[in-house]
Amino acid sequence: MKRLPVAAMACLVLASCTQVPRTEIFLMDVRSVKLPASVAATDPMDVVVEVTVGGCRRFDHVEGARTASHLTLLVYGRQPAGTGVPCTADIGWEKHTYTDPGTPARTAPFEVTVNGTGRGIVDVH
């Protein structure tokens, strides 16, 4: 029988004892979206999304994609994957702000969609 070097043996032992928790990424439940009534064509514009968090679900990030007439946001959360993960019973809401930089210049009407649902039109002046 061949003998494994000590360093290789240590790596095998550590790898078998240490499990890296897996994380699942998902689109969050959006409770509300706050948009400005109007914005200049090239000014930054804040969009505030309120998402449901709690249990094992946490906010992760917002991704934005934009054309001159449409802003599409995807709001992502994360939670542990697998069974037997202890989660709390607390459910609440958190507000997070996405700032659209204003480039390319907006045109009217400027529509905002969050997680696939139209959330309103912002007047461009």
Side-chain angles (χ1 to χ4, degrees), residues 1-123:
M1 180 162 133
K2 294 183 180 179
R3 297 182 69 174
L4 289 173
V6 176
M9 186 74 101
C11 288
L12 286 174
V13 169
L14 288 174
S16 65
C17 294
T18 305
Q19 291 185 5
V20 176
R22 294 181 307 131
T23 301
E24 177 180 289
I25 302 296
F26 61 93
L27 284 178
M28 298 198 80
D29 294 327
V30 177
R31 183 178 187 201
S32 67
V33 177
K34 182 180 177 188
L35 305 171
S38 65
V39 66
T42 58
D43 281 354
M45 179 183 78
D46 288 342
V47 177
V48 180
V49 293
E50 187 176 22
V51 295
T52 306
V53 295
C56 285
R57 294 179 166 227
R58 301 289 177 249
F59 171 79
D60 193 70
H61 68 283
V62 178
E63 287 181 9
R66 167 136 127 53
T67 66
S69 63
H70 196 159
L71 173 63
T72 300
L73 299 179
L74 296 174
V75 184
Y76 290 99
R78 67 182 173 345
Q79 66 185 9
T83 58
V85 177
C87 298
T88 62
D90 64 325
I91 300 295
W93 300 272
E94 291 178 354
K95 292 182 180 180
H96 296 276
T97 302
Y98 177 86
T99 302
D100 175 59
T103 53
R106 294 178 196 93
T107 59
F110 188 76
E111 183 178 4
V112 178
T113 300
V114 180
N115 287 2
T117 302
R119 293 299 187 142
I121 303 289
V122 178
D123 182 41

